[in-house]
């Protein structure tokens, strides 16, 4: 009994290996159920992990996908620390058939042989995937030449209509000054100084807070690092900066962070800095925003959502926040609005446990077709969207539903791990219409009167209009696999950074500032700055060579 | 069953020299009541210790213990060469010790005071109320602390200014030296009532003729407390003290992480957070395991040491 | 003399009551604060400044939490887990503690060391996970009960209590022909109610509050406990925020969040704490029974 089982199993394995290696025609003969011929639509079932336990395959879009491909999924929710779960699954060989994971998890799964290479399967079953990736196809490949995970290309040709700059100024502060054009931090400084002199308190009697930031240990860089490269007009490379000849340096000790620290120091010495700038947590930041007492600061759009809702619902729409790109000076050129050629963040990998992996590739390939994109971005025609004057728009019925209940989209609209295969907001399908519902018209239609008014004063339609033209960068450095060497050094440097920068912000005068700054950079140097920068430069240059080769720019 | 036992008991004295295993066999009832459970404990507490092998490796979950490279004592050398490690160790010990001492005396005093309350309803109500904060997560407690001490609109600063103690609001959370105190008080507030429960149970066990007899002898409230209640509490108190000494290096990190900020990290960073930062945070499993091993060794040494001291002073001890 | 003592007593009692009342107010505050936040409109609560009373009263937070139908079956399982887990754990812990309190027990010292050291060693998550998996305990109810069956800390507390009991009681029972089982269950346990009630409380609260084992080992919905379901609601409400941070994919800015993590956290703390507060007074009566111990001592 056991022997027959073993023989059968090894036969199956051999068959699948043969199928994977070049898709030889012979292996296609073994009966009906295991027919790996393209276009098989017989029902087949897989497990995949998701990040929310609310997600369900019992959903109108998911059902349509099953209709089209025969594939259906069972969701295994991960509700806690994702990396921890990924590591435990790997150690216990407990992972689902399809893994929905982040790039940093892939290496471990690859080393353990838990996920299978996909390039041959894509060759055979993924024509759309190859077509849509185009010249970027080779970017999917790992250093060993195999493809271990799939994601979508970012085909956006324009800035997503809902994107916003990260510096904010309260509407009424701008109004009082007569809606001036604010482009630099110095202009901002004068603006808040003038306003604060006249209005030390809000109408509710709260103290006005001229300049604040998003607190909390979760995003420590939001207070000084992120605003520093943003004001320098540089793309977000996390703790690093990349210069034109691809040399990597630490952003944490760069000239831009020095400049930004100087700005904060000036703000502090003028008594304009939030007293709790470095000590509050995220909830307290939100409360201050929601009370309408913060006048300006660095707050990425997603940190504002709830607070602005609270402002609107208490009738203080004029205390919402304008999101503007601010730079160090007029000469700085803004290269902050960027995208990468691909959306590698939440990827799909196929585990060795999955039977008929070609069916999963076919499923993904379907998502890469225009029909698939419409389904995963817009939903089902007639239910979630309709075509009016040749343009796709969401149906009133569906809009009403999701406004009443944010979870409605999970049951009745595109939702689930397949939505990561979206080509991105601001991208077009072959029919010339937008691939996703987040169009300018749609974003505009959701603004409240106060927002519409202030945008009109500046002659803009959406906040994204303030942003410079969308640029494509090969990658952000934090997307690369972190090198093993000098991890500890980097960790220590970031701790020195967290500890020292606040002290420098509180420096009494320029002389003390310079002294402390020299002390700080000295500490970072001693902690191994050079080693870290060299390692990351090597990594980045290696990536760029590979990039140039695969994209064919060299 | 009880018959055989009876006969084995009477003959017990006779076989006392007939070898260890013979004697052990006679205690089969005790063995039956202990061996399965000790086995269970060994299975779930000691068997997973094979994980300590990782401390001597460059472990990666993808390669497993068998596939990962052995690096000897590298992780430990790295640990002991790291300057932050000793600072972190100091903070951990200081905060744990402060919590241990305040918690120890606080809960005994509270138990004694509650014990003096005659009105049963009042006693029960207060007891129930004081332990509620135990069920409130640190996230919430930390938030309340931060809001209360806030320099912009916090009630403490408002009162201090109103009463004229200070002119400018104090930024309590920005001062490293204050962090240990604030942390200790917050912890006391959260756990005081809960840790009193065990002492109250012991005191109830004492409530009896001893008190009545003392009263007849003319002992007042404080004499009774001093001569009956406190000696009655001592064995449990010392035992808990010994067991908790072992946790001095393992105070968790949640409270410190939620109360702390980058300004006070020299005082707020503790061992568990350091281990977390350096293991999950940067994917160095082995480093985390090395820290965990170090903690175990220190804990056991501490427990053995304190136990020995307790023995010397004729107090109750755990071994 | 008599008068002075009474006066001192009076002052002591007054101060004592006042102090305890003050302590009560201070320790009640977090709960009152959470209650107020949980009963407040969630969007309004973002503004902060809610202390004792809700500012904009709303039951919406609770409504949203109780909309999750999984919650009800999870609550039932939590109760079962707490009852079964506490009962089994107590029986086993008491037996082990009893053997360790017997001075003549030959393995006493060895077992003591094994038990106490187990408090301070930890092999880490991965080995434990692999162990549970090899024992085929994942996705079973027993993973909630078996691994934590013996709480080393509780064993030591009970053991030391047993050790303080008068030896004469056990001797006489033995002479009457009682074996170790009946000595434990008929003689010792009835006179140890205060400490047993305390440990019951510790174990029961531990079971009631735990969700990590659920999260790690049981992915089946039918094995979900209440705390885990609530954790899921909480985590998912925070994920909504971080999800909107991602540049790609579908982000719906206009989606009005019905409630916030802060409000959910407040409501769920209230939901899990109230049952404990309701059960506790029933436990408290066992503390009174301890009076018997004293009667039997000496």
């Amino acid at each position: 009994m056991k022997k027959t089982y073993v023989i059968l199993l090894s036969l199956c394995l051999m068959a699948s290996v043969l199928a994977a290696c070049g898709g030889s025609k012979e292996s296609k003969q073994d009966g009906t159920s295991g027919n790996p011929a393209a276009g098989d639509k017989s029902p087949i079932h897989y497990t995949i992990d998701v990040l929310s336990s609310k997600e369900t395959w019992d959903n109108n879009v998911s059902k349509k996908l099953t209709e089209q491909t025969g594939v259906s999924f069972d969701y295994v929710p991960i509700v806690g620390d994702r990396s921890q779960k990924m590591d435990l699954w790997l150690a216990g060989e407990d992972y689902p058939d399809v893994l929905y994971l982040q790039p940093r998890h892939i290496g471990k799964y690859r080393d353990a042989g838990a996920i299978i290479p996909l390039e041959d399967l894509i060759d055979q079953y993924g024509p759309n995937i190859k077509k849509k990736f185009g010249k970027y196809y080779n970017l999917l490949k790992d250093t060993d030449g195999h493809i271990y995970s799939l994601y979508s290309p970012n085909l956006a040709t324009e800035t997503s209509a809902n994107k916003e700059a990260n510096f904010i100024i309260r509407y009424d502060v701008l109004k009082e000054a007569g809606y001036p054009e604010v482009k630099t931090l110095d202009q901002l400084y004068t603006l808040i100084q003038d306003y604060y002199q006249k209005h030390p308190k809000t109408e509710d009697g709260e103290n006005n807070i001229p300049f604040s930031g998003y607190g909390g240990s979760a995003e420590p860089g939001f207070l000084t690092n992120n605003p520093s490269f943003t004001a320098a007009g540089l793309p977000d490379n996390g703790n690093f900066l990349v210069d034109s000849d691809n040399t990597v340096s630490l952003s944490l000790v760069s000239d831009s962070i020095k400049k930004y620290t100087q700005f904060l120091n000036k703000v502090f010495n003028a008594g304009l800095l939030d007293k709790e700038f470095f000590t509050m947590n995220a909830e307290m930041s939100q409360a201050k925003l929601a009370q309408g007492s913060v006048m300006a600061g660095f707050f990425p759009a997603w940190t504002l959502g709830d607070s602005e809702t609270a402002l609107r619902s208490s009738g203080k729409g004029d205390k919402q926040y304008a999101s503007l790109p601010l730079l160090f000076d007029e000469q700085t050129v803004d290269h902050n609005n960027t995208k990468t050629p691909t959306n590698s963040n939440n990827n799909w990998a196929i585990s060795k446990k999955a039977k008929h992996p070609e069916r999963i590739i076919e499923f993904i390939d379907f998502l890469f077709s225009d029909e698939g994109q419409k389904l995963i971005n817009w939903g089902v025609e007639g239910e979630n969207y309709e075509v009016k004057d040749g343009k796709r728009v969401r149906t009133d019925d569906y809009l009403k539903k999701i406004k009443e209940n944010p979870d409605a989209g999970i049951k009745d609209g595109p939702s689930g791990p397949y939505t990561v295969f979206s080509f991105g907001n601001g991208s077009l399908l072959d029919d010339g219409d937008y691939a996703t519902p987040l169009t300018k018209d749609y974003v505009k239609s959701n603004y409240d009167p106060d927002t519409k008014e202030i945008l009109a004063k500046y002659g803009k339609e959406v906040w994204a209009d303030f942003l410079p033209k969308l640029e494509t960068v090969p990658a952000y450095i934090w997307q690369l696999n972190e090198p093993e060497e000098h991890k500890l050094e980097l960790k220590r440097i970031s701790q020195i950074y967290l500890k020292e920068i606040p002290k420098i912000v509180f420096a009494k005068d320029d002389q003390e500032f310079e002294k402390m700054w020299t002390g700080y950079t000295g500490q970072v140097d001693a902690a191994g700055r050079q080693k870290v920068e060299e390692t990351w430069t090597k990594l980045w240059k290696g990536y760029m060579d590979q990039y140039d080769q695969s994209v064919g720019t060299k | 069953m009880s018959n055989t036992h009876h006969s084995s008991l009477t003959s017990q004295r006779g076989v006392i020299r007939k070898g260890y295993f013979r004697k052990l066999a006679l205690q089969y009832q005790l063995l039956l009541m202990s061996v399965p459970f000790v086995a269970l404990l060994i299975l779930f507490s000691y068997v997973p210790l094979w994980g300590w092998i990782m401390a001597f490796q460059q472990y990666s979950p993808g390669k497993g213990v068998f596939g990962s490279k052995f690096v000897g004592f590298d992780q430990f050398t790295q640990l002991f060469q790291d300057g932050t490690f000793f600072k972190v160790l100091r903070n951990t010990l200081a905060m744990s010790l402060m919590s241990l001492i305040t918690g120890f005396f606080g809960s005994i005093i509270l138990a004694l005071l509650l014990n003096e309350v005659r009105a049963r309803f009042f006693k029960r109500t207060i007891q129930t109320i004081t332990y509620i904060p135990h069920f409130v997560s640190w996230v919430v407690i930390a938030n309340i602390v931060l809001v209360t001490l806030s320099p912009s609109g916090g009630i403490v600063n408002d009162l201090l200014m109103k009463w004229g103690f200070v002119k400018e609001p104090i930024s309590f959370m920005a001062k490293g030296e204050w962090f240990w105190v604030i942390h200790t008080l917050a912890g006391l507030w959260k756990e005081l009532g809960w840790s009193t429960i065990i002492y109250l149970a012991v005191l109830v066990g004492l409530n009896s003729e001893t008190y009545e007899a003392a009263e007849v002898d003319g002992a007042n409230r404080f004499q009774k407390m001093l001569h009956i209640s406190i000696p009655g509490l001592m064995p449990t108190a010392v035992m808990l003290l010994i067991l908790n000494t072992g946790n001095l290096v393992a105070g968790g990190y949640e409270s410190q992480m939620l109360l702390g900020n980058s300004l006070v990290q020299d005082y707020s960073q503790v061992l568990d957070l350091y281990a977390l930062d350096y293991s999950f945070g940067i994917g160095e499993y082995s480093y985390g395991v090395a820290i965990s091993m170090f903690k175990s060794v220190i804990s056991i040494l501490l427990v053995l040491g304190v136990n020995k001291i307790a023995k010397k002073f004729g107090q109750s001890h755990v071994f | 003399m008599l008068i002075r003592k009474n006066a001192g007593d009076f002052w002591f009692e007054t101060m004592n009551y006042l102090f305890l009342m003050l302590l009560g107010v201070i320790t009640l505050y977090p709960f009152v604060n959470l209650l107020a936040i949980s009963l407040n409109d969630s969007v309004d609560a973002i503004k902060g400044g809610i202390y004792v009373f809700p500012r904009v009263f709303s039951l919406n937070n609770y409504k949203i939490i109780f909309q999750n139908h999984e919650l009800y079956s999870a609550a039932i399982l939590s109760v079962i887990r707490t009852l079964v887990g506490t009962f089994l754990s107590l029986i086993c812990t008491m037996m082990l503690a009893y053997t360790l309190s017997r001075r003549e027990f030959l393995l006493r010292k060895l077992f003591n060391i094994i038990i106490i050291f187990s408090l301070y060693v930890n092999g880490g998550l991965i080995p434990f996970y692999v162990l549970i998996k090899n024992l085929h305990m994942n996705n079973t109810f027993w993973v909630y009960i078996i691994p934590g069956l013996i709480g080393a800390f509780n064993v030591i507390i009970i053991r030391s209590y047993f050790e303080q009991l008068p030896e004469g009681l056990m001797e006489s029972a033995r002479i009457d022909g009682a074996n170790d089982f009946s000595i434990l269950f008929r003689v010792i346990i009835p006179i140890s109610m205060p400490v047993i009630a305390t440990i019951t409380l510790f174990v029961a609260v531990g079971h009631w509050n735990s969700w990590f084992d659920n999260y790690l080992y049981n992915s089946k919905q039918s094995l979900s406990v209440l705390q885990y379901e609530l954790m899921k609601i909480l985590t998912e409400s925070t994920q909504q925020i971080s999800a909107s941070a991602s540049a790609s994919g579908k982000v719906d800015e206009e989606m009005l969040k019905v409630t916030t993590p802060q409000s959910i956290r407040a409501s769920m703390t209230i939901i899990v704490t109230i049952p404990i507060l309701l059960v506790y007074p029933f436990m408290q009566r066992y503390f009174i029974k301890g009076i018997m111990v004293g009667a039997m001592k000496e």
Side-chain angles (χ1 to χ4, degrees), chain A residues 53 85 92 94 291 438 442, chain C residues 47 129 133 215 236 251 254:
Chain A
S53 61
K85 198 85 181 191
D94 257 353
Q291 289 161 2
L438 275 176
Y442 179 66
Chain C
K47 288 189 255 176
Y129 184 86
K133 202 178 165 261
Y215 155 69
E236 275 151 21
V251 182
E254 87 288 357

Side-chain angles (χ1 to χ4, degrees), chain A residues 196 201 206-209 268 273-281 284 288 506, chain B residues 143-161 166-175 182 261 263:
Chain A
Y196 188 58
K201 288 195 186 269
E206 301 274 354
N207 286 326
N208 260 325
I209 302 164
F268 167 75
L273 190 67
D274 190 335
K275 286 195 190 86
E276 296 172 291
F277 194 74
F278 291 107
T279 55
M280 64 192 161
N281 61 20
M284 292 162 88
K288 287 176 184 179
F506 297 150
Chain B
N143 246 326
I144 295 177
V145 172
L146 294 186
V147 168
T148 312
L149 296 179
S150 159
S152 43
I155 185 154
V156 173
N157 271 309
D158 279 1
L159 288 179
L160 286 177
M161 298 221 296
V166 291
K167 279 208 180 79
E168 277 288 297
I170 303 171
S171 216
F172 290 102
M173 301 316 295
K175 296 191 167 31
I182 292 168
N261 55 63
L263 286 177

Side-chain angles (χ1 to χ4, degrees), chain A residues 284-298:
Chain A
M284 292 162 88
S285 291
Q286 276 197 327
K288 287 176 184 179
L289 290 169
Q291 289 161 2
S293 50
V294 172
M295 286 161 48
F298 182 87

